[in-house]
Amino acid sequence: PNYRHWATENPDTQALLIRVASWWLKESDVDGVRLDAIRHMNPGFVKRFSREIKAYAGTLGKRNFLVLGENSTGVDGEVAKDLELGTDSGYNYPEYRRQSLALHGKAPTRQLEDSFRAAAGALGGALGRIVRFIDNHDTYRFLRKGESQTLLKPAFAFLLFSMGFPLIYYGAEQAFRQTETRLTPEGGDRPADPQNREDMFAEGEFKSESSSGDNFNADSETSKLVRRLAQLRKDLPALRRGAQYVRWSDPWGPGIYAFSRIHEGQEVLVVLNTANEARDAEMFVDAGLTPAGTALADALDAGYGVTTYPGASGGSQAAVRVPAHGVRVL
């Protein structure tokens, strides 16, 4: 039987599942647990499980034990309700489903702004602890067959520098591609797996054109890109913990999407370009933290920088040029 057949409304079933989870916690010394498909579970069980497993973790010295609920919903409010049951985090499926077209350069970047505002409105500060992704084991891979891996640079930057916990699905760092070409959500008629669960080994039962060979390659172009962006996220606390403010989005098509992350008096301006040509944009920044005359350096390109200037209606502005499928971190 699978989880949909478990009588999670039954107190005896609840106790047994909590006992099993507690055993695994003690034996494996994990720091968190994922509850799969919690929309199929009794809400009372989710509450009890979250409360009791955290209490047990505390007896083992784990003070920040994480309970991660998985719900493949497209509704922000349902993710928010899951958090009310005592889970600490959830998967940001609603934003994933709204963002795919724009990140592939097939829709205006205004969709990214609208998506962020919808999620922030429903989740508030909890958005900062939601797991965000551009693909996972239940969805199509971000790259489709025939797409250039240059699409990954703004997509990875968007993933790693936006509010939330970034999840990078294995194989994305090696530019694995899915033969399915549609950008709409996966469905029962055209499932994502097993195409998106290829072997990483040189030999294996599940291979694809893009996964051929041995793919534990830390020196691949995309793998080095992920490491560089992840290191930057580590070096700049604002990219991990900062509040997020949208600075620019294109209402007409692919192009610039910019946002600031602000933490403890530091503003970091992230500017992405989803278009296949260079783009320019002028945008406001925080006049108090980044006043006119402030020199901003690109943490990804030592040869690029801008100086902020007074805005026409007051405030402080920056004019930024971003190469095709490029990223600036100023």
Side-chain angles (χ1 to χ4, degrees), residues 199-279:
D199 295 311
M200 298 286 285
F201 306 99
E203 301 294 335
E205 180 180 355
F206 298 102
K207 303 297 290 186
S208 67
E209 182 180 335
S210 61
S211 71
S212 61
D214 186 345
N215 285 283
F216 291 93
N217 182 7
D219 292 323
S220 71
E221 183 179 344
T222 45
S223 185
K224 288 189 289 187
L225 170 64
V226 169
R227 286 204 306 276
R228 188 178 184 195
L229 296 178
Q231 184 62 49
L232 190 55
R233 186 178 189 271
K234 180 179 180 181
D235 293 340
L236 297 174
L239 295 178
R240 303 195 309 276
R241 304 183 182 279
Q244 183 166 325
Y245 303 91
V246 178
R247 300 305 192 190
W248 179 273
S249 65
D250 192 323
W252 309 116
I256 298 293
Y257 180 62
F259 56 92
S260 290
R261 301 293 305 276
I262 295 177
H263 178 67
E264 294 185 348
Q266 181 185 51
E267 178 175 16
V268 178
L269 177 64
V270 178
V271 189
L272 316 173
N273 182 10
T274 64
N276 58 9
E277 61 184 9
R279 291 291 179 87

Side-chain angles (χ1 to χ4, degrees), residues 85-117:
L85 298 178
T87 59
D88 301 294
S89 182
Y91 288 81
N92 201 344
Y93 266 98
E95 281 211 272
Y96 160 76
R97 302 201 186 284
R98 294 192 295 258
Q99 294 166 346
S100 187
L101 284 168
L103 288 176
H104 282 85
K106 303 296 185 182
T109 57
R110 181 62 53 84
Q111 290 188 4
L112 302 177
E113 177 178 359
D114 292 343
S115 176
F116 168 73
R117 295 195 186 284

Side-chain angles (χ1 to χ4, degrees), residues 3 147 159 266:
Y3 48 79
E147 287 183 326
L159 172 63
Q266 181 185 51

Side-chain angles (χ1 to χ4, degrees), residues 4-329:
R4 300 186 187 191
H5 300 150
W6 290 347
T8 53
E9 74 283 357
N10 186 319
D12 292 336
T13 304
Q14 294 178 4
L16 180 59
L17 291 173
I18 292 170
R19 180 182 176 186
V20 169
S22 298
W23 184 90
W24 278 108
L25 193 166
K26 182 178 181 180
E27 294 299 314
S28 63
D29 195 33
V30 295
D31 295 315
V33 65
R34 174 185 186 269
L35 288 178
D36 183 64
I38 62 173
R39 60 180 170 178
H40 298 299
M41 297 179 181
N42 177 269
F45 166 65
V46 177
K47 279 187 176 181
R48 179 183 175 187
F49 179 92
S50 299
R51 180 180 65 253
E52 294 189 15
I53 200 69
K54 289 179 189 178
Y56 180 68
T59 67
L60 301 177
K62 297 179 183 292
R63 305 302 178 189
N64 293 296
F65 192 80
L66 180 77
V67 177
L68 170 62
E70 188 267 350
N71 185 344
S72 59
T73 177
V75 181
D76 299 280
E78 292 185 10
V79 178
K81 288 181 180 179
D82 292 340
L83 297 177
E84 294 173 0
L85 298 178
T87 59
D88 301 294
S89 182
Y91 288 81
N92 201 344
Y93 266 98
E95 281 211 272
Y96 160 76
R97 302 201 186 284
R98 294 192 295 258
Q99 294 166 346
S100 187
L101 284 168
L103 288 176
H104 282 85
K106 303 296 185 182
T109 57
R110 181 62 53 84
Q111 290 188 4
L112 302 177
E113 177 178 359
D114 292 343
S115 176
F116 168 73
R117 295 195 186 284
L123 293 163
L127 182 59
R129 64 177 194 269
I130 297 298
V131 174
R132 59 186 312 111
F133 55 92
I134 57 174
D135 57 9
N136 67 26
H137 65 289
D138 284 330
T139 72
Y140 299 133
R141 288 197 175 276
F142 180 82
L143 282 185
R144 274 64 171 178
K145 185 176 181 179
E147 287 183 326
S148 170
Q149 70 183 47
T150 59
L151 293 175
L152 284 173
K153 186 171 185 178
F156 278 144
F158 176 82
L159 172 63
L160 284 160
F161 299 155
S162 299
M163 284 185 71
F165 299 156
L167 180 157
I168 295 177
Y169 183 47
Y170 92 96
E173 84 290 352
Q174 304 299 342
F176 281 7
R177 292 169 172 81
Q178 187 118 358
T179 56
E180 175 60 65
T181 58
R182 75 179 185 182
L183 289 172
T184 51
E186 69 291 337
D189 58 329
R190 293 157 80 177
D193 58 79
Q195 290 183 46
N196 67 346
R197 303 185 185 188
E198 309 98 312
D199 295 311
M200 298 286 285
F201 306 99
E203 301 294 335
E205 180 180 355
F206 298 102
K207 303 297 290 186
S208 67
E209 182 180 335
S210 61
S211 71
S212 61
D214 186 345
N215 285 283
F216 291 93
N217 182 7
D219 292 323
S220 71
E221 183 179 344
T222 45
S223 185
K224 288 189 289 187
L225 170 64
V226 169
R227 286 204 306 276
R228 188 178 184 195
L229 296 178
Q231 184 62 49
L232 190 55
R233 186 178 189 271
K234 180 179 180 181
D235 293 340
L236 297 174
L239 295 178
R240 303 195 309 276
R241 304 183 182 279
Q244 183 166 325
Y245 303 91
V246 178
R247 300 305 192 190
W248 179 273
S249 65
D250 192 323
W252 309 116
I256 298 293
Y257 180 62
F259 56 92
S260 290
R261 301 293 305 276
I262 295 177
H263 178 67
E264 294 185 348
Q266 181 185 51
E267 178 175 16
V268 178
L269 177 64
V270 178
V271 189
L272 316 173
N273 182 10
T274 64
N276 58 9
E277 61 184 9
R279 291 291 179 87
D280 301 90
E282 297 180 65
M283 62 204 69
F284 281 98
V285 290
D286 190 288
L289 298 176
T290 316
T294 301
L296 299 176
D298 185 355
L300 292 173
D301 180 356
Y304 184 85
V306 299
T307 300
T308 59
Y309 54 91
S313 57
S316 180
Q317 286 186 261
V320 184
R321 182 173 180 81
V322 188
H325 300 137
V327 180
R328 301 289 189 198
V329 181

